[in-house]
Amino acid sequence: GDSVTQMEGPVTLSEEAFLTINCTYTATGYPSLFWYVQYPGEGLQLLLKATKADDKGSNKGFEATYRKETTSFHLEKGSVQVSDSAVYFCALRDSGYSTLTFGKGTMLLVSP
Amino acid sequence: EAQVTQNPRYLITVTGKKLTVTCSQNMNHEYMSWYRQDPGLGLRQIYYSMNVEVTDKGDVPEGYKVSRKEKRNFPLILESPSPNQTSLYFCASSSRTSGNNEQFFGPGTRLTVL
């Protein structure tokens, strides 16, 4: 079955540091890939997505590139802010279905 | 405003006392789903619904029931809650007209079963 593996957290960074959160996946079809963010006390919000190989999703300074050859969708940001502190979830949706398969989430803590 | 609402947001109950968590969306979405979030386990799908009167089990359906009598509502029913159902629950919805549409999540319901 489909699965998503994310690096374990927490990831602790100082403000303006570079961020990478690794995500790899296993899927039988041609999935769409997503990053969701969960701020403290809130539900999940879509951060970015990519629907086919080599697509780059981007939003709010975050980027991720769909790499089919390495089955990866790593999240990056060049300069994090304290307000980026949240839990980040990588997810996939296999072609033809609406069910999302989530990774376990990675907590990011950014200090001033 | 397009949104998914859940009620209640917080609930403390006792073992065996039936409860219902409501979920409603105002986006005319066909697809709705329930997840539970537990530390170290991420989000796991409980049940989902592709449309009215169409529901199916997710990864962890034991101890839960759902119904989809109307397109906008998708309640989660715990007939006899147990402490291992203490968790944070999320409802989500999306359109099926495009296979890559975003899932919209509700704010969550924190349930404690004593």
Side-chain angles (χ1 to χ4, degrees):
Chain A
D2 297 343
S3 67
V4 176
T5 302
Q6 290 180 237
M7 59 189 293
E8 289 191 23
V11 173
T12 304
L13 295 172
S14 298
E15 208 164 24
E16 299 183 4
F18 184 85
L19 167 71
T20 300
I21 300 178
N22 289 338
C23 170
T24 57
Y25 68 90
T26 303
T28 52
Y30 300 94
S32 296
L33 302 174
F34 305 83
W35 277 101
Y36 279 82
V37 59
Q38 183 182 30
Y39 297 105
E42 298 184 12
L44 278 73
Q45 306 172 24
L46 180 66
L47 180 60
L48 54 85
K49 68 180 181 184
T51 59
K52 62 182 186 297
D54 300 324
D55 268 3
K56 178 185 282 188
S58 61
N59 186 24
K60 299 181 181 180
F62 291 89
E63 292 183 341
T65 301
Y66 189 148
R67 301 281 188 206
K68 191 163 183 240
E69 64 276 12
T70 55
T71 61
S72 65
F73 193 54
H74 304 321
L75 182 68
E76 297 181 336
K77 187 174 185 182
S79 176
V80 294
Q81 306 299 311
V82 172
S83 58
D84 293 328
S85 297
V87 180
Y88 292 82
F89 291 92
C90 186
L92 71 82
R93 183 159 60 208
D94 215 336
S95 55
Y97 297 90
S98 293
T99 293
L100 281 171
T101 299
F102 284 91
K104 293 183 178 179
T106 302
M107 179 178 287
L108 170 65
L109 300 171
V110 181
S111 56
Chain B
E1 179 191 356
Q3 60 183 348
V4 178
T5 56
Q6 295 179 227
N7 282 291
R9 293 290 312 279
Y10 303 91
L11 179 60
I12 300 174
T13 189
V14 295
T15 299
K17 185 176 181 182
K18 181 180 178 179
L19 66 91
T20 299
V21 183
T22 64
C23 172
S24 183
Q25 50 91 8
N26 62 1
M27 296 168 278
N28 201 37
H29 285 165
E30 298 85 359
Y31 180 90
M32 298 185 74
S33 179
W34 277 103
Y35 299 88
R36 59 177 289 174
Q37 183 180 12
D38 301 290
L41 297 175
L43 274 83
R44 295 178 292 168
Q45 191 178 50
I46 302 170
Y47 269 94
Y48 64 96
S49 169
M50 292 290 197
N51 215 324
V52 175
E53 301 292 1
V54 180
T55 63
D56 210 344
K57 296 177 181 179
D59 297 321
V60 288
E62 294 78 19
Y64 304 94
K65 285 175 57 177
V66 292
S67 68
R68 188 88 182 276
K69 294 185 172 60
E70 306 165 281
K71 199 171 187 180
R72 64 183 293 125
N73 296 323
F74 190 45
L76 179 70
I77 303 155
L78 285 71
E79 294 270 3
S80 182
S82 62
N84 64 12
Q85 293 178 298
T86 292
S87 187
L88 179 58
Y89 292 87
F90 289 101
C91 181
S93 73
S94 67
S95 171
R96 290 194 68 218
T97 55
S98 169
N100 300 315
N101 270 348
E102 174 183 355
Q103 278 202 16
F104 292 83
F105 282 80
T109 295
R110 186 166 292 281
L111 172 66
T112 302
V113 183
L114 302 175

